[in-house]
Amino acid sequence: MELLSGAEMVVRALRDEGVKYIYGYPGGALLHVYDAIFQQDEVEHILVRHEQAATHMADAYARATNKAGVALVTSGPGATNAVTGIATAYMDSIPMVVITGQVMSYLIGEDAFQETDMLGISRPIVKHSFSVQRPEDIPSIIKKAFHIAQSGRPGPVVVDIPKDMTTPTERYPYDYPANVKMRSYGPISRGHSGQIKKAVDMLLAAKRPVIYTGGGVIMGDASEELVKLAQELNYPVTNTLMGLGGYPGTDRQSLGMLGMHGSYEANMAMHHSDFILAVGARFDDRVTNGTDKFCPTARIAHIDIDPASISKTIDVDVPIVGPAKAVLKEMLELVAEAKAKPDAEAISNWWKQIDEWRQRHGGRFELGDKMKPQQVIEMLSKVTNGDAFVCSDVGQHQMFAAQYYKFNKPNRWINSGGLGTMGFGLPAAMGVKLNFPEADVACVTGEGSIQMNIQELSTCKQYDLPVKIINLNNQSLGMVRQWQDMNYESRHSQSYMQSLPDFIKLVESYGHVGMKVERYEDLEGAMREAFAMKDRLVFMDIYVDPFEHVYPMQVPRGSMRDMWLNKTERT
Amino acid sequence: MRHIISVLLENEPGALSRVVGLFSQRNYNIESLTVAPTEDPTLSRLTVTTIGNDRVVEQITKQLNKLIDVVKVVDLSEGDHIEREVMMIKLKANGQMRAEIKRTADIFRGHIIDVTPNTYTVQLIGDSAKLDAFIAALGTASILEVVRSGVSGIARGEKVLSV
Ligand SMILES: Cc1cc2nc3c(=O)[nH]c(=O)nc-3n(C[C@H](O)[C@H](O)[C@H](O)COP(=O)(O)OP(=O)(O)OC[C@H]3O[C@@H](n4cnc5c(N)ncnc54)[C@H](O)[C@@H]3O)c2cc1C
Ligand SMILES: Cc1ncc(C[n+]2csc(CCOP(=O)(O)OP(=O)(O)O)c2C)c(N)n1
Ligand SMILES: [Mg+2]
């Protein structure tokens, strides 16, 4: 067997796992590993400018491919800088392996230079973590890390490696295990047939059904089965923020997003439904609104790979623990065999009602003198034929992108939903662009969010990452300001962005192209020009109406149907 | 309601802190916690008593099961079970209190396991309610120190918790 040092084993194990890129930043505890990286060319290292960006790049690669991304950060400040990125991945159940350097094992606990208890710090925000105690364990630990990160309900895994586990002169036999066996971990591969049958019976008997799907359909690769089932039955589908693209957004049966900023028709349909089939969605508080008033007439079947997601916030009638793909497949078979058929008349009446709701509001916004952010997103959708990867930051612009960009494919909408991490968008776009060099990759952001990781423009230059940054510049922390308008009599405490930089000059100094757009008439031309520059990063600084609000917006603690529809009208 | 949850845990560094961390992170209550290796040195057995409604306790067992180091979880209070706790209690014992304490200890089947001219140390084994009752029964005796082990539990009958 080949003899390798711990440092070499880290890099070799990543290669054997099929990893092409790792995202990281060096430091003392990792110098042996960085030397091993230098001496090979199969795993390419991308040097970011801040460790948070490394985690978001790895995370976005995972969101686009359903495979774990890898970040590499040094001990102490390197590791703590990665914490926000780990938490971001954890909240959205994204597979990621984060390798953190650690001080020499014999110094641990002595407040050594750049020592932090990374296992302790990251414990509540990881699926699992490992600390390497013997160099020869490195291959099996890395194998387990990938296995745990990517199977079952995915999530980030931290591997903490003390520097003396990677000493170049100490070599050990290297053997990368082909598979993993752990007595305490075995993800489930199918659902309970009896429960699935029960759910199908209820599904077929429903008169006002809604299929409510989330991130589990995207990361569980179950979009195809979902589309088949929904279309076979002619039932309406609504997606969570994390589930967008799971069902084609331009299809007639799509009600768009539900929840706090969900569409009028999606929230109305949920509230009035008599049966909800929830698939890979976790009844988040941004979806349910007041749980005591949630969908009073609905019975619920819930498919989720994590039993802890079922009946956590809302009690369900038929729990089905299993992977969405396998369970939906089984449902499709049962539906095909079933003697009972959906009640055509009831379903047709239900659609009549839904179409009425659609007409009543249906995602309209009012035009004004100033350019509206919604118009910009609609233009982005048009210019990219609805086919781009859209990586978003957090704020109003994120909601507008979710509402107005119609995603027809899964894994194209990349955003931080659970943690809501400002600063996610640009590194995410970089991670996607690096791995999909031919695709159009847009970063939809705001002048607040972009400044949280703006230093990555430098990384974009180094590695030629021609993403298109769509900065919806409303000169304010718009989402915060909206809440202040609605709940604090417009006392805009700290929600203005004063002293904004000249973004055009800024991006130019990094070697990129800047465009300022102030009038809607100029938007289409400029945007087409930006996307035509295939090999340049273009920063479009687009001035939009600073007073716009995101609607619909649910009334706090109300039911799903209690919404503000615009600044003056509510349901 | 009070629940006694038994957990088989990989005997790995950090495993215990994941369990304890889970309780504080998710705002679950811990009444008592005991942990020790089993006959298989790679496994620890942990017993936690907690108070919560059905939904909370269901979440606790589900979340515990999700921890990678956790091999098995049972809520013992769902079936017939035996719970035991050890208490050692040091009491001031002079004059007529010596006889008084001895009598009370006998009634509760406690043992006096250490004696000085001024103190008795009583050992008592039982479920938590019995230990509470003993303390209450001591009446005016002056308690110097109480150590309780926390609850351990096991299912009655042929049911076993093992890998
Ligand atoms: C400013 C802001 C506003 C927001 N507004 C809204 C809003 O209006 N509407 C909205 O929906 N969200 C909104 N969110 C997002 C919200 O916070 C949650 O992140 C989101 O609702 C959760 O989506 P989800 O239920 O699909 O769950 P996810 O977090 O995507 O979780 C996926 C679920 O699927 C399960 N799962 C994973 N893999 C599988 C598999 N293979 N098979 C089966 N199940 C699987 C997991 O166990 C989990 O339960 C907002 C966020 C921000 C930052
Ligand atoms: C790191 C971080 N800090 C604070 C917040 C709270 N927050 C949510 S949206 C928002 C404003 C975002 O402003 P901007 O990026 O300009 O977007 P806009 O809402 O104006 O479109 C803030 C401060 C957050 N989500 N993330
Ligand atoms: Mg803004």
Side-chain angles (χ1 to χ4, degrees):
Chain A
M1 226 182 286
E2 202 178 356
L3 295 183
L4 296 181
S5 71
E8 289 165 333
M9 283 199 229
V10 171
V11 183
R12 187 67 71 83
L14 293 175
R15 183 202 75 173
D16 290 346
E17 195 55 48
V19 173
K20 193 162 162 214
Y21 297 111
I22 57 179
Y23 315 92
Y25 209 88
L30 281 180
L31 286 174
H32 299 325
V33 176
Y34 272 87
D35 195 47
I37 290 172
F38 188 88
Q39 300 190 42
Q40 54 84 55
D41 54 13
E42 288 167 303
V43 178
E44 193 181 336
H45 180 272
I46 306 298
L47 178 70
V48 291
R49 302 298 182 261
H50 184 295
E51 288 87 350
Q52 183 186 348
T55 54
H56 292 333
M57 284 186 82
D59 167 316
Y61 163 77
R63 289 176 200 251
T65 62
N66 291 344
K67 286 189 284 200
V70 182
L72 179 65
V73 299
T74 192
S75 70
T80 54
N81 271 352
V83 165
T84 300
I86 298 171
T88 302
Y90 179 74
M91 289 298 282
D92 291 339
S93 307
I94 302 303
M96 179 157 91
V97 173
V98 180
I99 299 175
T100 55
Q102 184 52 278
V103 301
M104 306 278 189
S105 57
Y106 52 85
L107 293 178
I108 289 177
E110 296 186 356
D111 303 315
F113 176 63
Q114 295 195 328
E115 177 186 356
T116 53
D117 173 10
M118 189 52 182
L119 292 193
I121 288 176
S122 64
R123 189 198 47 71
I125 51 167
V126 295
K127 183 168 174 188
H128 195 55
S129 49
F130 293 93
S131 155
V132 174
Q133 320 230 316
R134 302 182 318 160
E136 54 270 43
D137 293 342
I138 288 174
S140 67
I141 286 179
I142 290 185
K143 181 78 199 175
K144 278 185 195 161
F146 276 90
H147 174 64
I148 291 170
Q150 295 176 152
S151 57
R153 178 176 185 168
V157 176
V158 164
V159 180
D160 200 44
I161 311 184
K163 186 171 185 181
D164 51 334
M165 300 295 124
T166 59
T167 311
T169 50
E170 290 167 19
R171 295 168 176 276
Y172 305 86
Y174 172 83
D175 181 23
Y176 197 63
N179 39 48
V180 177
K181 234 183 117 46
M182 295 173 76
R183 66 176 166 187
S184 60
Y185 178 71
I188 190 158
S189 61
R190 53 191 305 258
H192 185 284
S193 300
Q195 294 289 90
I196 297 177
K197 171 87 180 49
K198 230 196 251 172
V200 168
D201 289 345
M202 286 163 81
L203 188 66
L204 290 172
K207 297 195 186 317
R208 299 183 311 279
V210 179
I211 304 178
Y212 145 55
T213 86
V217 166
I218 309 287
M219 61 191 109
D221 186 27
S223 175
E224 197 187 316
E225 289 76 10
L226 169 68
V227 172
K228 273 198 197 132
L229 183 69
Q231 297 192 343
E232 173 68 30
L233 297 168
N234 184 30
Y235 285 3
V237 183
T238 177
N239 303 133
T240 67
L241 182 73
M242 301 313 296
L244 293 173
Y247 190 86
T250 51
D251 187 86
R252 184 188 62 88
Q253 282 170 244
S254 168
L255 306 185
M257 185 167 81
L258 79 168
M260 178 176 278
H261 291 300
S263 73
Y264 177 71
E265 56 269 34
N267 288 344
M268 293 300 276
M270 286 289 286
H271 184 84
H272 293 280
S273 64
D274 70 345
F275 179 71
I276 295 170
L277 177 65
V279 192
R282 58 186 173 83
F283 294 84
D284 184 78
D285 52 71
R286 295 256 149 155
V287 166
T288 58
N289 208 7
T291 47
D292 52 331
K293 303 189 184 105
F294 180 74
C295 303
T297 51
R299 300 219 286 162
I300 306 173
H302 186 186
I303 305 168
D304 202 291
I305 203 159
D306 179 1
S309 281
I310 299 179
S311 296
K312 180 172 68 177
T313 60
I314 298 286
D315 279 326
V316 306
D317 301 282
V318 186
I320 304 171
V321 179
K325 194 179 180 77
V327 174
L328 289 176
K329 253 196 197 138
E330 215 171 314
M331 285 189 156
L332 271 164
E333 286 162 18
L334 289 177
V335 166
E337 290 163 10
K339 286 197 201 73
K341 296 289 162 215
D343 179 340
E345 196 189 323
I347 301 301
S348 140
N349 286 338
W350 182 225
W351 272 117
K352 230 179 264 157
Q353 172 66 74
I354 291 173
D355 287 335
E356 241 175 78
W357 285 327
R358 253 187 194 147
Q359 304 237 302
R360 162 113 200 264
H361 186 264
R364 276 188 303 279
F365 56 91
E366 281 154 49
L367 295 175
D369 304 339
K370 299 228 176 71
M371 192 175 356
K372 294 287 180 173
Q374 297 93 322
Q375 292 180 289
V376 180
I377 303 296
E378 286 187 332
M379 185 61 76
L380 178 65
S381 202
K382 181 174 163 195
V383 168
T384 58
N385 301 314
D387 203 31
F389 285 95
V390 178
C391 304
S392 180
D393 259 307
V394 171
Q396 290 185 317
H397 59 272
Q398 175 188 24
M399 292 300 112
F400 291 132
Q403 292 175 330
Y404 292 94
Y405 199 99
K406 301 294 175 202
F407 294 93
N408 283 326
K409 291 182 193 153
N411 305 94
R412 293 283 162 124
W413 165 239
I414 312 265
N415 84 133
S416 165
L419 198 67
T421 307
M422 289 172 71
F424 176 80
L426 175 58
M430 292 157 57
V432 173
K433 186 68 188 174
L434 182 72
N435 289 281
F436 296 85
E438 302 304 322
D440 281 333
V441 180
C443 164
V444 172
T445 186
E447 76 304 311
S449 294
I450 191 69
Q451 293 192 78
M452 287 217 178
N453 266 320
I454 194 132
Q455 76 287 344
E456 296 307 317
L457 287 171
S458 168
T459 312
C460 290
K461 184 67 189 162
Q462 181 176 351
Y463 297 98
D464 266 331
L465 300 172
V467 301
K468 310 298 177 222
I469 298 171
I470 311 297
N471 187 39
L472 296 183
N473 194 336
N474 55 7
Q475 298 148 75
S476 74
L477 302 176
M479 184 57 93
V480 173
R481 197 217 42 222
Q482 174 169 347
W483 283 61
Q484 291 169 338
D485 284 341
M486 296 176 76
N487 303 315
Y488 299 89
E489 297 166 326
S490 296
R491 288 187 295 279
H492 294 153
S493 177
Q494 308 297 316
S495 57
Y496 279 97
M497 284 308 256
Q498 273 145 355
S499 310
L500 284 176
D502 178 337
F503 284 112
I504 307 304
K505 277 197 194 139
L506 180 74
V507 299
E508 283 172 358
S509 80
Y510 279 106
H512 305 302
V513 179
M515 285 180 179
K516 185 169 178 171
V517 184
E518 288 173 295
R519 299 182 315 166
Y520 182 67
E521 302 86 271
D522 304 331
L523 181 65
E524 178 161 7
M527 204 179 265
R528 288 199 184 281
E529 193 188 332
F531 278 90
M533 284 188 252
K534 291 283 174 207
D535 55 352
R536 298 301 299 274
L537 182 150
V538 183
F539 188 108
M540 299 191 71
D541 192 16
I542 304 171
Y543 282 74
V544 294
D545 185 351
F547 300 106
E548 189 63 2
H549 284 180
V550 183
Y551 291 110
M553 180 165 182
Q554 282 174 337
V555 178
R557 284 182 292 282
S559 72
M560 286 209 73
R561 72 170 163 185
D562 298 323
M563 291 170 267
W564 287 98
L565 298 177
N566 54 49
K567 284 185 185 171
T568 52
E569 191 191 351
R570 58 170 278 192
T571 52
Chain B
M1 206 186 110
R2 177 169 173 273
H3 287 254
I4 305 177
I5 296 169
S6 265
V7 181
L8 275 184
L9 192 65
E10 294 285 359
N11 200 353
E12 296 274 343
L16 180 60
S17 76
R18 291 183 214 270
V19 173
V20 176
L22 176 73
F23 275 77
S24 67
Q25 170 187 359
R26 295 196 181 263
N27 222 354
Y28 305 146
N29 139 294
I30 298 186
E31 288 267 289
S32 79
L33 173 80
T34 67
V35 60
T38 63
E39 81 287 1
D40 171 353
T42 65
L43 282 175
S44 296
R45 169 95 173 223
L46 184 143
T47 312
V48 62
T49 55
T50 183
I51 292 178
N53 61 32
D54 288 351
R55 170 175 293 183
V56 170
V57 173
E58 187 181 322
Q59 270 294 314
I60 291 177
T61 52
K62 285 173 168 178
Q63 295 291 350
L64 280 169
N65 260 313
K66 272 171 74 173
L67 294 177
I68 308 287
D69 288 329
V70 166
V71 186
K72 283 219 170 123
V73 180
V74 285
D75 180 353
L76 287 177
S77 10
E78 278 179 352
D80 278 347
H81 64 278
I82 303 163
E83 74 169 89
R84 287 291 180 272
E85 189 176 355
V86 178
M87 174 166 73
M88 291 181 282
I89 178 163
K90 192 173 285 186
L91 299 152
K92 198 185 255 175
N94 344 67
Q96 57 181 18
M97 279 317 278
R98 279 180 96 83
E100 183 67 36
I101 291 170
K102 173 88 173 62
R103 250 197 314 275
T104 314
D106 285 345
I107 293 169
F108 281 82
R109 294 179 208 280
H111 299 286
I112 294 172
I113 54 172
D114 189 47
V115 179
T116 72
N118 291 316
T119 65
Y120 273 160
T121 301
V122 180
Q123 166 195 296
L124 194 67
I125 298 177
D127 61 20
S128 307
K130 174 175 165 180
L131 306 193
D132 293 341
F134 178 69
I135 293 177
L138 284 170
T140 54
S142 131
I143 297 172
L144 300 172
E145 191 176 347
V146 175
V147 203
R148 294 173 70 151
S149 64
V151 174
S152 298
I154 195 162
R156 278 193 188 277
E158 297 184 3
K159 253 193 266 166
V160 288
L161 178 61
S162 65
V163 283

